[in-house]
Amino acid sequence: MRNNFRKNAAIEELNRKYRKVFRIPENLNHYSEEDFKNAERNFIKHCIINAKIEVFNFDNSVPQ
């Protein structure tokens, strides 16, 4: 059971990280509310499945 919790925590951390990456002004101002939710969900799904998108720390512009 403990191992399952760790897996869920890792997925939740990725979810938070990719959500932060997606929520930039360009996307926030482009989509309607419903379209934004769908686009964000698809972006996060794509990132988790493919794990090829490099996430940048916007404070320092250095890959995490």
Side-chain angles (χ1 to χ4, degrees), residues 21-38:
V21 168
F22 186 78
R23 292 186 177 192
I24 60 174
E26 183 178 327
N27 290 332
L28 292 171
N29 298 329
H30 177 73
Y31 294 105
S32 69
E33 186 174 340
E34 184 179 337
D35 289 341
F36 178 84
K37 288 179 184 180
N38 289 332

Side-chain angles (χ1 to χ4, degrees), residues 9-63:
I11 293 293
E12 288 300 318
E13 181 63 30
L14 286 174
N15 190 7
R16 280 190 293 274
K17 182 185 289 188
Y18 292 135
R19 188 176 305 271
K20 184 177 178 182
V21 168
F22 186 78
R23 292 186 177 192
I24 60 174
E26 183 178 327
N27 290 332
L28 292 171
N29 298 329
H30 177 73
Y31 294 105
S32 69
E33 186 174 340
E34 184 179 337
D35 289 341
F36 178 84
K37 288 179 184 180
N38 289 332
E40 184 179 50
R41 184 175 57 243
N42 288 333
F43 174 79
I44 293 169
K45 182 179 176 181
H46 174 78
C47 291
I48 290 174
I49 289 173
N50 294 317
K52 293 180 182 177
I53 295 179
E54 195 168 308
V55 178
F56 288 90
N57 180 353
F58 290 106
D59 298 333
N60 300 328
S61 298
V62 177

